[in-house]
Structure formats: structure tokens, C-alpha cells
Amino acid sequence: MTRSEERFEFFPRIADVADRTHAGDGNISARPLEEIESLCRQCRKQGVTRMMLTSIPFFQEVIVMSFCCQHCGHSNNEFQSAGKIRPEGVMYTVKVLNRGHLDRQLICSKTCSINIPEFQLVLPPPRGQLTTVEGLLRKTVADISVQHPHIQNKNTYAQIQEIIDGLKQIIADDEDGDEGKDTHEKRELSNEDPVTHAITITLNDPSGNSFLEFVGSMSDLKWNMRTYEQSLEQNQQLGLVPSAEDSEENTADKGKPESEVSIPYFKDSFIMSTNCDDCGYRDNEIKPGAAISGQGKKIILKVEDRDDLSRDILKSDTSGLSIPEIDLVLHPGTLGGRFTTLEGILDQVYDELTGKVFNTGDSGVIEMTGPNPFTLILDDPLANSHVQNLYAPDSDPNMEIVSYERTWQQNEDLGLNDMNVESYDGDDMKGAES
């Protein structure tokens, strides 16, 4: 068997995969889909991941993965390129003038950026996906609509609403209208009907692993593709060339597990990481990189829905954590310094309690996934803790920040009472000797 025949068997064309699926071959080894049990991140139960190796005409070999949980209904899909990074970047441009253009298939790798200039909309590189132009626009509307209600600036709110309305008109989204009438009108639309707003979609992928379908042949007048040579910055983003900072750090101190990060609306901090190649142990810790604050800080967050669980949270090693609704109180030093999400810190608290508390009867179980709202309190005498403000730079209605004067005992525990930062030079030494 030649190498080309082996490659064809591993990555058959989509048409061949469809033929084998409809044939209903009972041989498990001959099935085009591989099914693997996977953990669902929503309900923590076992779901099913399906993988398909296929070859897309005029493109390359790809791996299509789809996950579905039969317990909670959560599902997602992802695409990964099975080929190598191409020597040149690629940019696709398509004009969407009628509804037939919405059916064009497209592949976006995790390094592909998307631009729609008519709406001044630039989308960052998404997770790898295999979809259509209509599917891309629908996902864009869904993603923007999630954060849209939290925006308090009227001008920004109106601009984003204009984008959402414009994209919904293009895809003829009838969710908010009269269902019977709009559905009837939508069924009468044909592929030759023009869209309400003609738009241009540009895919820019420096790795060359994205694709946008043409109609008929590559001479399609509404479709364009060009290649370009990657810049040094793009090669650094792809990991092909080490960045200047990494080169300097490796030369000065090879293997130093420390980096400085700047957190918006807060202060600079240092993240330190431990990674053992022998046993696989991994750990990370965060330390403040600014001066000691003159006052302590207490953050009171009212958690009302699952969106609050995605907030970024920085808990320093001097901060205490409490949840009054379940009588949970963690003293300063517990868990050390952590930079994660609210859901992540709750998972770590749960793991610590279930791993170290032996008598876990009915009164010892803490339900972290319940729908009931709760209050999270971070009390940090050094004011080195932070919770993400979803409404920044405006104030967050669900979060209260209180500054207070530290007590003498708190300063004593932190070693601040005996700290001398004023007269510690030669004058004191001379006075002591006399």
C-alpha cells in the first residue's frame, strides 16, 4: 500500500464519509466517527465526544470534534487542522449580496481574525470552528448579546444595538417578531433574494489554516484569496520564533518561573509557577508588585447568576474569604495567592474541603452549583485582592468596595508595627553608638 493510499484512508473525503455512514456498516472499526466518553464541564457527568477525520476539497486534512451531554444538554463543536503551519499567511474576502452567499462554508482556525468593515466589527481569533457565513453571523449576534445588557454607556449601548439589529436583518432572524408571520415570510425567501445590508467578510489567518468556500471555481467574482509572508510579530504569535522578551529572559535567567502582569483597574502583580518534569506536580501563586497600601479593603460581591461565576478574581495570601449563606470562613493564608475566576476559586475551596475534611456528612457537603444567590466577601488588610468589575469603568451595582483603617493587631500580624522606613540610615547608627 502506498503512502497516498494510507493517507486517504486516514482522512477520507466528506462525501466518502457520508456514503459510509448511510451504508450502515456494522463493523465498528470501519465507522467514520470515533466516540469517546468525556467529562461535561457544566454538570460534571459523562458526555460523548465524536471525532471525524476528513479531507476538505481545495483545502487540507482536518479533525472535526463534537461534544454532547445527554444529562444537561450542553453541546459544542470544534475544528482542528491536521496539517502543518503553512509557509505563508492567507486572507479570504467574500461579498455577501444575497441569501445564497450565507450558505458558503468557512473554516476558522484559532489564529484567524474576522473583519466586517461595514459594521466596524473586528472579531478576535475564535476557537476552531467549521460553519457557514450565516452560522458565523448568528454566533456573533449571540456572543455580543451576552455582554450587551451590562453596558451602561448610552452611546456604546446604541452602537452595539445597531450592530445586533443589522446582523439580525441580514440573517432574517425572526426570534423577536410575530412568529407565524415572520416564519411564513422567511420560508418564501430564496437564495437569489438580496440581503438587507450588503457586507464584506474578511478572514485573516497567518497560519494559513483557514478557508472560505468559493462558488463554482476560484474565479468567483464575489470571492478573493491572497497569500502573504508572515511578519516577525505574527511568527512570534504562532510560536515559530521566540519573542524578544523570552530571548532576554532565557539569556539572563533560564527557567525563571515568574512573570509580571498588569490587571486592568488594579495594579501590577507577579505570577509564579512551579512545574516538576519528574512527577508532574504543578502549582501557581500570585504576589503583589506594588507598595503596601495605607488602608485595608473589603470587597462584597452579590452573586446572582452564572455570569458572575466567570468574573476574574485575584485573592492574595493575606486575604480572607467568606460566604455567609453557608457559614464558610477561610482565614488569611488559606489557598495562598490565586488569580482565577470566581468559579475556579469555589472549585479549589470545594477540593480543599473534600480532601481534608473527613467527616463529610449531610452538614459537611457544600453545593457550589446551586441556583441560589450568595454573597462573597474578600477581606484583605493589605488591599492586594481584586474582583473583576463587569461594568468598568462604571461602578458595579452588585459589588461594594469598602476601605478601612487597619487595627494595631492587623499591623502586628503583618509585621508593619516594627517596620522603619524613615530614619534607618547612618544617623540612627551614630545615635545608638553614643
Side-chain angles (χ1 to χ4, degrees), residues 29-310:
S29 61
R31 293 179 181 176
L33 298 180
E34 295 288 339
E35 295 186 357
I36 303 174
E37 287 191 356
S38 305
L39 180 66
C40 177
R41 296 186 177 182
Q42 298 292 330
C43 65
R44 302 294 180 181
K45 296 181 180 179
Q46 290 295 326
V48 177
T49 297
R50 294 178 174 85
M51 295 191 303
M52 180 179 69
L53 281 65
T54 184
S55 177
I56 297 179
F58 305 101
F59 186 48
Q60 60 183 13
E61 297 86 357
V62 297
I63 302 175
V64 181
M65 294 175 289
S66 175
F67 173 82
C68 181
C69 178
Q70 61 181 356
H71 302 285
C72 66
H74 174 68
S75 63
N76 60 36
N77 60 80
E78 186 175 353
F79 148 85
Q80 288 186 1
S81 172
K84 61 182 180 180
I85 296 178
R86 300 194 175 187
E88 292 181 326
V90 64
M91 179 179 294
Y92 291 94
T93 304
V94 65
K95 293 281 188 179
V96 180
L97 303 180
N98 56 49
R99 294 196 55 81
H101 296 159
L102 297 175
D103 296 332
R104 292 177 185 260
Q105 290 188 346
L106 57 87
I107 297 174
C108 294
S109 73
K110 61 182 180 180
T111 59
C112 175
S113 61
I114 305 169
N115 183 21
I116 305 178
E118 287 78 5
F119 292 100
Q120 298 182 357
L121 182 62
V122 178
L123 305 178
R127 183 180 60 184
Q129 57 181 342
L130 171 61
T131 181
T132 62
V133 172
E134 181 177 0
L136 173 67
L137 298 181
R138 288 187 180 276
K139 186 176 185 304
T140 301
V141 171
D143 293 342
I144 297 177
S145 300
V146 171
Q147 297 295 333
H148 186 226
H150 299 291
I151 300 175
Q152 294 185 345
N153 186 285
K154 293 183 178 180
N155 293 332
T156 304
Y157 186 94
Q159 292 174 358
I160 295 180
Q161 185 63 48
E162 183 180 354
I163 294 176
I164 294 176
D165 294 340
L167 294 179
K168 283 186 175 181
Q169 292 176 4
I170 294 174
I171 60 180
D173 195 338
D174 56 356
E175 293 180 355
D176 300 330
D178 180 65
E179 293 185 0
K181 179 179 178 181
D182 290 345
T183 303
H184 178 69
E185 292 179 354
K186 183 177 179 180
R187 289 175 180 172
E188 292 180 350
L189 296 176
S190 66
N191 290 340
E192 301 300 328
D193 292 333
V195 294
T196 55
H197 300 286
I199 60 173
T200 304
I201 298 179
T202 301
L203 306 183
N204 186 4
D205 189 354
S207 70
N209 287 329
S210 295
F211 177 74
L212 203 159
E213 180 187 12
F214 54 81
V215 177
S217 66
M218 297 183 67
S219 60
D220 184 359
L221 299 178
K222 306 298 185 297
W223 176 91
N224 180 56
M225 182 195 73
R226 71 176 182 87
T227 58
Y228 60 89
E229 185 176 354
Q230 296 100 330
S231 63
L232 176 61
E233 181 181 358
Q234 289 173 332
N235 284 329
Q236 291 174 348
Q237 294 175 352
L238 295 173
L240 301 178
V241 178
S243 62
E245 293 80 3
D246 293 338
S247 300
E248 293 177 359
E249 290 179 0
N250 292 335
T251 303
D253 189 2
K254 185 176 181 180
K256 184 178 181 181
E258 179 179 306
S259 63
E260 182 178 2
V261 295
S262 179
I263 300 176
Y265 306 103
F266 189 51
K267 60 178 71 173
D268 293 340
S269 302
F270 289 94
I271 295 181
M272 293 169 285
S273 175
T274 301
N275 186 6
C276 180
D277 296 333
D278 296 328
C279 67
Y281 173 77
R282 294 183 179 182
D283 190 22
N284 64 81
E285 190 172 0
I286 189 164
K287 295 288 186 181
I292 297 177
S293 301
Q295 292 181 318
K297 182 171 66 174
K298 178 183 289 187
I299 303 174
I300 304 173
L301 175 65
K302 296 180 180 179
V303 181
E304 297 180 347
D305 51 36
R306 292 199 61 86
D307 290 340
D308 290 325
L309 296 178
S310 62

Side-chain angles (χ1 to χ4, degrees), residues 296-300 386-387 389 399-403:
K297 182 171 66 174
K298 178 183 289 187
I299 303 174
I300 304 173
H386 173 73
V387 177
N389 181 358
M399 184 166 58
E400 180 184 0
I401 300 178
V402 180
S403 298

Side-chain angles (χ1 to χ4, degrees), residues 393-431:
D394 299 327
S395 60
D396 193 326
N398 294 333
M399 184 166 58
E400 180 184 0
I401 300 178
V402 180
S403 298
Y404 61 89
E405 296 292 337
R406 289 187 292 266
T407 63
W408 184 91
Q409 186 61 44
Q410 286 177 325
N411 286 330
E412 181 70 16
D413 295 339
L414 295 172
L416 300 179
N417 289 334
D418 299 329
M419 185 178 296
N420 184 9
V421 295
E422 294 180 355
S423 302
Y424 55 86
D425 52 8
D427 294 339
D428 288 342
M429 298 297 296
K430 293 179 181 179

